[in-house]
Amino acid sequence: MKYLLIILGILAISCSTKTAKDNAGGLKETGVIYLHPSSENTLLLSDIIQSMDLAFLETTESCLLAGIKKLCIDGDYFIQNEKDELVYVFDGNGRFKVKIGSRGGGPGEFSYPHNSALDKKRKEVWMVDNYHSFVKFSYDGAFIERLKNDTERPFADFIILDNGYRLYHTSKFHYDDE
């Protein structure tokens, strides 16, 4: 079942065309493929992806996933677990490397983790704690810092662009913040 979830997660990420960036590192254009069950058009998987890799994730007590909330890839697999909302890092062969953060109130700990995103340029994992702050970690799980969330807007998800801009998404609107 968990392998099926990984494959579905990869397919979901692959369901948009490539995104071009302008010179400032922002989004220039984005292509979206709209699928509707009543449509008579067919879409072949080969039309939207060039290759697919399958990684069997290591399963131990320290890295047991309840479900995949979010999957990000930057050489390694960064998987936000559906149950505890923490990020588990697996290498390209599926071997467990590290769990990012833990529950609690100290440095690098979370009261209510919600979302995560990768800052691929700086090799950082950003996590949101109760929508009030961002907590930054290195890819190897070392705590870097906690930043106040100055957006004061609720959001469902976010990404970090190479220029450091954060793009936020809600079900009703999209916005960005430096």
Short mmCIF file of all heavy atoms in Angstrom, two decimals, residues 24-73:
data_model
loop_
_atom_site.label_atom_id
_atom_site.label_comp_id
_atom_site.label_asym_id
_atom_site.label_seq_id
_atom_site.Cartn_x
_atom_site.Cartn_y
_atom_site.Cartn_z
N ALA A 24 14.98 36.73 -12.64
CA ALA A 24 14.93 37.06 -11.22
C ALA A 24 14.64 35.83 -10.37
O ALA A 24 14.58 35.92 -9.16
CB ALA A 24 13.85 38.12 -10.97
N GLY A 25 14.46 34.67 -10.98
CA GLY A 25 14.20 33.45 -10.23
C GLY A 25 12.73 33.22 -9.96
O GLY A 25 12.35 32.27 -9.30
N GLY A 26 11.88 34.08 -10.47
CA GLY A 26 10.44 33.93 -10.27
C GLY A 26 9.83 33.03 -11.32
O GLY A 26 10.49 32.62 -12.28
N LEU A 27 8.57 32.74 -11.20
CA LEU A 27 7.91 31.91 -12.18
C LEU A 27 7.57 32.72 -13.42
O LEU A 27 7.02 33.80 -13.33
CB LEU A 27 6.61 31.34 -11.58
CG LEU A 27 6.80 30.40 -10.40
CD1 LEU A 27 5.44 29.95 -9.88
CD2 LEU A 27 7.61 29.19 -10.79
N LYS A 28 7.91 32.20 -14.56
CA LYS A 28 7.65 32.87 -15.82
C LYS A 28 6.36 32.37 -16.44
O LYS A 28 5.51 33.14 -16.85
CB LYS A 28 8.82 32.66 -16.77
CG LYS A 28 8.72 33.34 -18.08
CD LYS A 28 9.99 33.11 -18.86
CE LYS A 28 9.87 33.64 -20.26
NZ LYS A 28 11.05 33.31 -21.04
N GLU A 29 6.21 31.07 -16.50
CA GLU A 29 5.01 30.47 -17.04
C GLU A 29 4.82 29.09 -16.41
O GLU A 29 5.77 28.44 -16.04
CB GLU A 29 5.08 30.35 -18.56
CG GLU A 29 6.24 29.46 -19.02
CD GLU A 29 6.38 29.39 -20.51
OE1 GLU A 29 6.85 30.37 -21.11
OE2 GLU A 29 5.98 28.35 -21.08
N THR A 30 3.61 28.70 -16.28
CA THR A 30 3.31 27.40 -15.71
C THR A 30 2.24 26.74 -16.56
O THR A 30 1.25 27.38 -16.91
CB THR A 30 2.79 27.54 -14.26
OG1 THR A 30 3.79 28.19 -13.50
CG2 THR A 30 2.49 26.18 -13.66
N GLY A 31 2.46 25.50 -16.89
CA GLY A 31 1.46 24.76 -17.65
C GLY A 31 0.71 23.82 -16.72
O GLY A 31 1.29 23.23 -15.82
N VAL A 32 -0.57 23.69 -16.93
CA VAL A 32 -1.40 22.82 -16.12
C VAL A 32 -2.21 21.93 -17.04
O VAL A 32 -2.73 22.37 -18.06
CB VAL A 32 -2.36 23.65 -15.22
CG1 VAL A 32 -3.27 22.73 -14.43
CG2 VAL A 32 -1.57 24.56 -14.29
N ILE A 33 -2.29 20.68 -16.67
CA ILE A 33 -3.11 19.73 -17.42
C ILE A 33 -4.38 19.50 -16.62
O ILE A 33 -4.32 19.03 -15.48
CB ILE A 33 -2.36 18.40 -17.62
CG1 ILE A 33 -1.07 18.63 -18.40
CG2 ILE A 33 -3.25 17.38 -18.31
CD1 ILE A 33 -0.16 17.43 -18.45
N TYR A 34 -5.52 19.86 -17.17
CA TYR A 34 -6.79 19.66 -16.48
C TYR A 34 -7.40 18.33 -16.93
O TYR A 34 -7.55 18.07 -18.12
CB TYR A 34 -7.76 20.81 -16.80
CG TYR A 34 -7.30 22.13 -16.26
CD1 TYR A 34 -6.63 23.03 -17.06
CD2 TYR A 34 -7.52 22.45 -14.93
CE1 TYR A 34 -6.18 24.24 -16.55
CE2 TYR A 34 -7.07 23.66 -14.41
CZ TYR A 34 -6.41 24.55 -15.22
OH TYR A 34 -5.98 25.73 -14.71
N LEU A 35 -7.72 17.50 -15.96
CA LEU A 35 -8.35 16.22 -16.23
C LEU A 35 -9.73 16.19 -15.61
O LEU A 35 -9.92 16.63 -14.48
CB LEU A 35 -7.51 15.08 -15.63
CG LEU A 35 -6.06 14.99 -16.12
CD1 LEU A 35 -5.32 13.92 -15.35
CD2 LEU A 35 -6.02 14.71 -17.60
N HIS A 36 -10.69 15.69 -16.35
CA HIS A 36 -12.05 15.58 -15.83
C HIS A 36 -12.57 14.20 -16.16
O HIS A 36 -12.39 13.71 -17.28
CB HIS A 36 -12.94 16.66 -16.45
CG HIS A 36 -14.24 16.80 -15.74
ND1 HIS A 36 -15.33 16.02 -16.01
CD2 HIS A 36 -14.61 17.63 -14.74
CE1 HIS A 36 -16.32 16.35 -15.22
NE2 HIS A 36 -15.92 17.33 -14.44
N PRO A 37 -13.22 13.54 -15.21
CA PRO A 37 -13.69 12.16 -15.43
C PRO A 37 -14.63 12.01 -16.62
O PRO A 37 -14.66 10.97 -17.26
CB PRO A 37 -14.42 11.81 -14.13
CG PRO A 37 -13.91 12.77 -13.13
CD PRO A 37 -13.49 14.00 -13.86
N SER A 38 -15.40 13.04 -16.95
CA SER A 38 -16.36 12.91 -18.04
C SER A 38 -15.73 13.19 -19.41
O SER A 38 -16.39 13.03 -20.43
CB SER A 38 -17.53 13.87 -17.82
OG SER A 38 -17.08 15.21 -17.87
N SER A 39 -14.47 13.58 -19.43
CA SER A 39 -13.80 13.89 -20.68
C SER A 39 -13.52 12.62 -21.47
O SER A 39 -13.20 11.58 -20.92
CB SER A 39 -12.48 14.61 -20.40
OG SER A 39 -11.75 14.77 -21.59
N GLU A 40 -13.68 12.73 -22.80
CA GLU A 40 -13.39 11.58 -23.66
C GLU A 40 -11.93 11.56 -24.11
O GLU A 40 -11.50 10.63 -24.76
CB GLU A 40 -14.33 11.60 -24.87
CG GLU A 40 -15.78 11.36 -24.48
CD GLU A 40 -16.69 11.30 -25.70
OE1 GLU A 40 -16.19 11.07 -26.82
OE2 GLU A 40 -17.89 11.47 -25.51
N ASN A 41 -11.19 12.60 -23.77
CA ASN A 41 -9.78 12.64 -24.14
C ASN A 41 -8.99 11.65 -23.29
O ASN A 41 -9.31 11.41 -22.14
CB ASN A 41 -9.20 14.04 -23.92
CG ASN A 41 -9.85 15.07 -24.81
OD1 ASN A 41 -10.33 14.74 -25.89
ND2 ASN A 41 -9.88 16.31 -24.36
N THR A 42 -7.97 11.08 -23.90
CA THR A 42 -7.09 10.19 -23.15
C THR A 42 -5.75 10.87 -22.94
O THR A 42 -5.31 11.67 -23.76
CB THR A 42 -6.89 8.85 -23.89
OG1 THR A 42 -6.32 9.14 -25.17
CG2 THR A 42 -8.18 8.10 -24.05
N LEU A 43 -5.13 10.55 -21.84
CA LEU A 43 -3.82 11.09 -21.52
C LEU A 43 -2.93 9.92 -21.12
O LEU A 43 -3.22 9.21 -20.16
CB LEU A 43 -3.91 12.10 -20.35
CG LEU A 43 -2.60 12.70 -19.89
CD1 LEU A 43 -2.01 13.60 -20.99
CD2 LEU A 43 -2.81 13.51 -18.62
N LEU A 44 -1.89 9.71 -21.90
CA LEU A 44 -0.95 8.65 -21.60
C LEU A 44 0.09 9.15 -20.61
O LEU A 44 0.51 10.31 -20.67
CB LEU A 44 -0.27 8.16 -22.88
CG LEU A 44 -1.18 7.62 -23.97
CD1 LEU A 44 -0.38 7.29 -25.22
CD2 LEU A 44 -1.93 6.39 -23.47
N LEU A 45 0.51 8.29 -19.70
CA LEU A 45 1.54 8.65 -18.74
C LEU A 45 2.80 9.11 -19.46
O LEU A 45 3.46 10.06 -19.03
CB LEU A 45 1.83 7.46 -17.83
CG LEU A 45 2.78 7.68 -16.69
CD1 LEU A 45 2.28 8.78 -15.76
CD2 LEU A 45 2.99 6.40 -15.90
N SER A 46 3.12 8.50 -20.59
CA SER A 46 4.31 8.88 -21.36
C SER A 46 4.20 10.29 -21.94
O SER A 46 5.20 10.88 -22.33
CB SER A 46 4.56 7.87 -22.48
OG SER A 46 3.44 7.82 -23.35
N ASP A 47 2.99 10.86 -21.99
CA ASP A 47 2.81 12.23 -22.46
C ASP A 47 3.24 13.27 -21.43
O ASP A 47 3.49 14.42 -21.79
CB ASP A 47 1.34 12.50 -22.81
CG ASP A 47 0.87 11.71 -24.02
OD1 ASP A 47 1.72 11.31 -24.84
OD2 ASP A 47 -0.35 11.50 -24.13
N ILE A 48 3.29 12.89 -20.16
CA ILE A 48 3.58 13.89 -19.13
C ILE A 48 4.87 13.64 -18.34
O ILE A 48 5.31 14.51 -17.62
CB ILE A 48 2.40 14.03 -18.14
CG1 ILE A 48 2.06 12.71 -17.49
CG2 ILE A 48 1.20 14.66 -18.82
CD1 ILE A 48 1.00 12.78 -16.42
N ILE A 49 5.48 12.46 -18.45
CA ILE A 49 6.74 12.20 -17.77
C ILE A 49 7.72 11.53 -18.74
O ILE A 49 7.31 10.86 -19.67
CB ILE A 49 6.58 11.33 -16.51
CG1 ILE A 49 6.08 9.93 -16.85
CG2 ILE A 49 5.67 11.98 -15.51
CD1 ILE A 49 6.15 8.98 -15.70
N GLN A 50 9.00 11.75 -18.49
CA GLN A 50 10.03 11.15 -19.34
C GLN A 50 10.56 9.85 -18.76
O GLN A 50 10.94 8.95 -19.48
CB GLN A 50 11.18 12.13 -19.53
CG GLN A 50 10.77 13.35 -20.31
CD GLN A 50 11.90 14.36 -20.42
OE1 GLN A 50 12.93 14.23 -19.78
NE2 GLN A 50 11.69 15.38 -21.24
N SER A 51 10.62 9.76 -17.42
CA SER A 51 11.11 8.54 -16.79
C SER A 51 10.52 8.43 -15.39
O SER A 51 10.03 9.41 -14.84
CB SER A 51 12.64 8.53 -16.70
OG SER A 51 13.08 9.53 -15.81
N MET A 52 10.56 7.23 -14.84
CA MET A 52 10.04 7.00 -13.50
C MET A 52 10.96 6.03 -12.77
O MET A 52 11.38 5.02 -13.34
CB MET A 52 8.63 6.40 -13.55
CG MET A 52 8.01 6.22 -12.19
SD MET A 52 6.40 5.37 -12.15
CE MET A 52 5.49 6.13 -13.44
N ASP A 53 11.30 6.37 -11.54
CA ASP A 53 12.10 5.49 -10.70
C ASP A 53 11.24 4.99 -9.56
O ASP A 53 10.37 5.71 -9.07
CB ASP A 53 13.30 6.24 -10.12
CG ASP A 53 14.30 6.66 -11.20
OD1 ASP A 53 14.48 5.89 -12.17
OD2 ASP A 53 14.88 7.74 -11.07
N LEU A 54 11.50 3.78 -9.14
CA LEU A 54 10.78 3.20 -8.03
C LEU A 54 11.77 2.94 -6.90
O LEU A 54 12.79 2.30 -7.10
CB LEU A 54 10.12 1.88 -8.46
CG LEU A 54 9.29 1.14 -7.44
CD1 LEU A 54 8.12 2.00 -6.97
CD2 LEU A 54 8.78 -0.16 -8.00
N ALA A 55 11.49 3.48 -5.72
CA ALA A 55 12.35 3.28 -4.56
C ALA A 55 11.54 2.61 -3.46
O ALA A 55 10.48 3.10 -3.08
CB ALA A 55 12.90 4.61 -4.06
N PHE A 56 12.02 1.49 -2.96
CA PHE A 56 11.38 0.81 -1.85
C PHE A 56 11.95 1.40 -0.56
O PHE A 56 13.14 1.32 -0.32
CB PHE A 56 11.64 -0.71 -1.92
CG PHE A 56 11.02 -1.34 -3.13
CD1 PHE A 56 11.76 -1.54 -4.28
CD2 PHE A 56 9.69 -1.71 -3.10
CE1 PHE A 56 11.18 -2.11 -5.40
CE2 PHE A 56 9.10 -2.28 -4.22
CZ PHE A 56 9.85 -2.48 -5.38
N LEU A 57 11.08 2.02 0.24
CA LEU A 57 11.53 2.70 1.44
C LEU A 57 11.81 1.72 2.57
O LEU A 57 11.05 0.78 2.78
CB LEU A 57 10.48 3.72 1.90
CG LEU A 57 10.13 4.81 0.89
CD1 LEU A 57 9.07 5.74 1.49
CD2 LEU A 57 11.35 5.59 0.47
N GLU A 58 12.91 1.97 3.26
CA GLU A 58 13.27 1.18 4.43
C GLU A 58 12.15 1.30 5.47
O GLU A 58 11.57 2.36 5.66
CB GLU A 58 14.57 1.71 5.02
CG GLU A 58 15.05 0.98 6.24
CD GLU A 58 16.35 1.55 6.77
OE1 GLU A 58 16.91 2.51 6.19
OE2 GLU A 58 16.83 1.02 7.78
N THR A 59 11.85 0.20 6.13
CA THR A 59 10.80 0.19 7.14
C THR A 59 11.37 -0.31 8.46
O THR A 59 11.71 -1.48 8.59
CB THR A 59 9.63 -0.73 6.71
OG1 THR A 59 9.19 -0.32 5.42
CG2 THR A 59 8.49 -0.65 7.67
N THR A 60 11.51 0.62 9.43
CA THR A 60 11.92 0.27 10.78
C THR A 60 11.04 1.06 11.74
O THR A 60 10.27 1.91 11.32
CB THR A 60 13.41 0.63 11.04
OG1 THR A 60 13.55 2.04 11.01
CG2 THR A 60 14.34 -0.02 10.03
N GLU A 61 11.18 0.81 13.03
CA GLU A 61 10.38 1.56 14.00
C GLU A 61 10.68 3.05 13.97
O GLU A 61 9.82 3.87 14.26
CB GLU A 61 10.60 1.01 15.42
CG GLU A 61 9.90 -0.31 15.65
CD GLU A 61 9.99 -0.75 17.10
OE1 GLU A 61 10.01 0.12 17.99
OE2 GLU A 61 10.03 -1.98 17.32
N SER A 62 11.90 3.43 13.61
CA SER A 62 12.27 4.85 13.61
C SER A 62 11.81 5.60 12.37
O SER A 62 11.84 6.82 12.33
CB SER A 62 13.78 5.00 13.76
OG SER A 62 14.44 4.37 12.69
N CYS A 63 11.37 4.87 11.34
CA CYS A 63 10.97 5.56 10.09
C CYS A 63 9.69 4.98 9.50
O CYS A 63 9.51 4.96 8.29
CB CYS A 63 12.10 5.52 9.07
SG CYS A 63 12.56 3.86 8.54
N LEU A 64 8.79 4.55 10.34
CA LEU A 64 7.53 3.99 9.88
C LEU A 64 6.56 5.12 9.54
O LEU A 64 6.25 5.96 10.38
CB LEU A 64 6.94 3.08 10.96
CG LEU A 64 5.81 2.16 10.53
CD1 LEU A 64 6.24 1.26 9.39
CD2 LEU A 64 5.35 1.33 11.71
N LEU A 65 6.10 5.16 8.30
CA LEU A 65 5.20 6.21 7.85
C LEU A 65 3.75 5.74 7.92
O LEU A 65 3.45 4.61 7.56
CB LEU A 65 5.53 6.61 6.42
CG LEU A 65 6.95 7.13 6.16
CD1 LEU A 65 7.16 7.37 4.67
CD2 LEU A 65 7.22 8.39 6.95
N ALA A 66 2.86 6.65 8.36
CA ALA A 66 1.44 6.33 8.40
C ALA A 66 0.80 6.63 7.05
O ALA A 66 -0.19 6.03 6.68
CB ALA A 66 0.75 7.13 9.51
N GLY A 67 1.33 7.57 6.35
CA GLY A 67 0.83 7.99 5.05
C GLY A 67 1.66 9.17 4.58
O GLY A 67 2.33 9.82 5.37
N ILE A 68 1.61 9.44 3.30
CA ILE A 68 2.41 10.51 2.75
C ILE A 68 1.54 11.75 2.57
O ILE A 68 0.59 11.74 1.78
CB ILE A 68 3.04 10.10 1.42
CG1 ILE A 68 4.00 8.94 1.65
CG2 ILE A 68 3.75 11.28 0.76
CD1 ILE A 68 4.57 8.35 0.38
N LYS A 69 1.86 12.81 3.32
CA LYS A 69 1.16 14.08 3.16
C LYS A 69 1.79 14.89 2.03
O LYS A 69 1.10 15.53 1.25
CB LYS A 69 1.20 14.88 4.46
CG LYS A 69 0.53 16.23 4.34
CD LYS A 69 0.53 16.99 5.63
CE LYS A 69 -0.16 18.34 5.44
NZ LYS A 69 -0.21 19.10 6.68
N LYS A 70 3.13 14.86 1.95
CA LYS A 70 3.83 15.63 0.93
C LYS A 70 5.13 14.93 0.59
O LYS A 70 5.78 14.37 1.46
CB LYS A 70 4.11 17.03 1.46
CG LYS A 70 4.67 17.99 0.43
CD LYS A 70 4.71 19.40 1.00
CE LYS A 70 5.07 20.40 -0.07
NZ LYS A 70 5.05 21.77 0.48
N LEU A 71 5.49 14.97 -0.67
CA LEU A 71 6.74 14.38 -1.15
C LEU A 71 7.51 15.43 -1.92
O LEU A 71 6.98 16.02 -2.87
CB LEU A 71 6.46 13.18 -2.06
CG LEU A 71 7.64 12.62 -2.85
CD1 LEU A 71 8.68 12.02 -1.92
CD2 LEU A 71 7.16 11.59 -3.87
N CYS A 72 8.76 15.70 -1.52
CA CYS A 72 9.66 16.59 -2.24
C CYS A 72 10.93 15.80 -2.54
O CYS A 72 11.35 14.98 -1.72
CB CYS A 72 10.01 17.82 -1.41
SG CYS A 72 8.60 18.87 -1.02
N ILE A 73 11.53 16.07 -3.69
CA ILE A 73 12.72 15.33 -4.09
C ILE A 73 13.82 16.31 -4.44
O ILE A 73 13.61 17.23 -5.24
CB ILE A 73 12.42 14.41 -5.29
CG1 ILE A 73 11.29 13.44 -4.95
CG2 ILE A 73 13.67 13.66 -5.72
CD1 ILE A 73 10.77 12.64 -6.13
#
